[in-house]
Amino acid sequence: MGLALVHANRADACTGITLKSGDGSTVVARTIDWSGTTMNNIYVVAPRNHSFRATTPAGENTGLEFTTKYGYVGLGMEEADYVVDGMNEAGLVAELFYFPAYGEYKSFNRDNADRTIGDLQLVSWLLASFSTVDEVQQAVRGVDVVNIYPGASTVHWRITDATGRQVILEIVDGEPKFYESEIGVLTNSPGYPWHIANLNNYVNLMPGTAGPTKLGPLTLRAFGSGSGFHGIPGDFTPPSRFVRAAFLSSFNIPMPTGYDAAMHSFHILNNFDVPLAAQYSVGAKMPDMPSATQWTVSIDMGGRMIYYRTMYNSTIRSINMGNIDFDTVAFQSHPLDTVQRETIIPITIE
């Protein structure tokens, strides 16, 4: 039931960026957006040697069987194996982004059920099983990734390993296609090569202030700072968010440590919070939740730290993977928010 709910309420406004810090850490960060309803948003801790069996259109526990080689921590929804973002103890990060109308998986073949996995379980399998992009590329070509429900949207993935190498995985016409991620950005449809080509439409953008420029006898001057980005798209469509994310993350303040870069990533991603009303026509009934951006997560790969905040509580929380013994920890999941309310710290005036 949870999976059907996820697919029915598309996460079509997710935005991901990548930053590098002076101490050599890679920071991957993203927003995740559902505008249809609040979800059962959770974090998951998986130990080594924990067994899974994937879901297929034939039902639960009918697909690929695997056991965790690496312990991991992930953020997900509804079910503990529906991980959207996460990192394993080898330093591999995998993330899921919706990709409606442009991807196409293979049709489910019962004869191949033992090597079939549902798209929302792929991140769990990758984190449980692999440490490098090369390993992921080889393994994905040996499985069938399928939708569980007919007509459900497809997704695509961003995968980063401990060396900082990052690839985008899209399944088109039933075949996995990997693209090297040149600028560390991902949104949604269309396909990744289209987004990269589209950046050429914004060759005029630059950081700083434009002008002054002579126009005959006139001298034209900017009204204010930041005019070099005049014309950057500000709407919430995937192409516009991709352009905005590419420029804002490429021209960012250098950060000395992974912690600093992770905190800076939240400031950049403030530009991609989606007000709920922007997703609905005037007069339409909206769900009872504060935002279409349900959570924002930033992963400091060098520091092995996961930071997140939610639509209910903008206080940043952290999970230190270095403090987890993946040999002994129990498989577990917990809500992202224990209380769905902002943390307010009163200021005492004396």
Side-chain angles (χ1 to χ4, degrees):
M1 187 65 180
L3 184 57
L5 184 63
V6 169
H7 277 304
N9 300 288
R10 299 187 319 182
D12 55 2
C14 305
T15 303
I17 61 173
T18 306
L19 302 179
K20 303 284 187 178
S21 63
D23 62 1
S25 185
T26 298
V27 170
V28 289
R30 59 90 60 87
T31 65
I32 185 145
D33 301 77
W34 284 277
S35 58
T37 181
T38 185
M39 305 296 295
N40 177 30
N41 297 326
I42 58 178
Y43 69 86
V44 178
V45 180
R48 302 185 198 111
N49 301 311
H50 184 80
S51 296
F52 291 92
R53 189 164 186 185
T55 299
T56 75
E60 294 184 2
N61 300 317
T62 56
L64 177 72
E65 293 185 79
F66 60 97
T67 299
T68 53
K69 178 179 180 180
Y70 303 104
Y72 66 83
V73 175
L75 274 61
M77 66 289 193
E78 296 302 323
E79 305 290 344
D81 53 346
Y82 299 162
V83 173
V84 175
D85 308 279
M87 177 169 59
N88 70 17
E89 59 181 318
L92 185 82
V93 172
E95 307 160 281
L96 175 156
F97 293 70
Y98 266 46
F99 187 46
Y102 284 83
E104 184 181 2
Y105 307 140
K106 288 183 178 179
S107 298
F108 175 56
N109 181 345
R110 288 181 180 272
D111 293 338
N112 295 339
D114 62 350
R115 60 180 182 88
T116 297
I117 188 168
D119 56 355
L120 290 185
Q121 296 170 306
L122 192 73
V123 169
S124 294
W125 176 57
L126 297 180
L127 296 177
S129 307
F130 309 110
S131 63
T132 68
V133 166
D134 284 338
E135 290 176 353
V136 169
Q137 289 177 309
Q138 181 177 354
V140 166
R141 294 187 176 100
V143 299
D144 290 353
V145 179
V146 300
N147 273 332
I148 307 302
Y149 294 94
S153 174
T154 52
V155 300
H156 57 179
W157 299 265
R158 183 171 67 161
I159 301 133
T160 314
D161 67 23
T163 69
R165 183 185 175 194
Q166 184 179 97
V167 295
I168 309 302
L169 165 61
E170 296 178 344
I171 300 177
V172 180
D173 296 326
E175 296 299 323
K177 299 181 183 298
F178 288 92
Y179 305 100
E180 297 292 329
S181 179
E182 298 96 332
I183 56 171
V185 169
L186 188 60
T187 58
N188 314 104
S189 301
Y192 183 75
W194 185 96
H195 284 292
I196 293 297
N198 183 53
L199 290 175
N200 291 291
N201 284 316
Y202 301 91
V203 66
N204 58 297
L205 298 182
M206 61 180 182
T209 302
T213 300
K214 293 293 292 182
L215 185 65
L218 302 177
T219 299
L220 308 183
R221 292 182 174 86
F223 288 120
S225 61
S227 57
F229 274 2
H230 183 70
I232 196 168
D235 61 81
F236 296 110
T237 63
S240 293
R241 286 184 288 104
F242 192 101
V243 172
R244 200 156 71 251
F247 278 89
L248 293 180
S249 61
S250 294
F251 296 108
N252 70 84
I253 302 170
M255 292 288 131
T257 69
Y259 165 81
D260 297 316
M263 296 304 102
H264 186 53
S265 72
F266 284 104
H267 292 289
I268 294 174
L269 289 174
N270 284 337
N271 293 273
F272 301 92
D273 277 357
V274 181
L276 192 62
Q279 299 285 318
Y280 287 86
S281 301
V282 174
K285 180 177 174 57
M286 290 183 286
D288 183 19
M289 61 186 196
S291 173
T293 303
Q294 298 212 10
W295 77 69
T296 302
V297 58
S298 184
I299 301 177
D300 172 11
M301 297 177 64
R304 295 294 194 268
M305 294 290 296
I306 298 175
Y307 302 95
Y308 75 88
R309 67 186 183 200
T310 72
M311 63 178 172
Y312 292 110
N313 189 345
S314 53
T315 300
I316 297 172
R317 284 145 280 176
S318 66
I319 301 171
N320 185 343
M321 291 185 59
N323 291 338
I324 302 172
D325 185 341
F326 287 104
D327 272 331
T328 61
V329 70
F331 184 87
Q332 57 194 277
S333 64
H334 305 277
L336 292 187
D337 293 297
T338 54
V339 177
Q340 294 180 340
R341 185 173 62 239
E342 288 285 356
T343 298
I344 307 296
I345 300 175
I347 303 297
T348 300
I349 307 297
E350 298 182 0

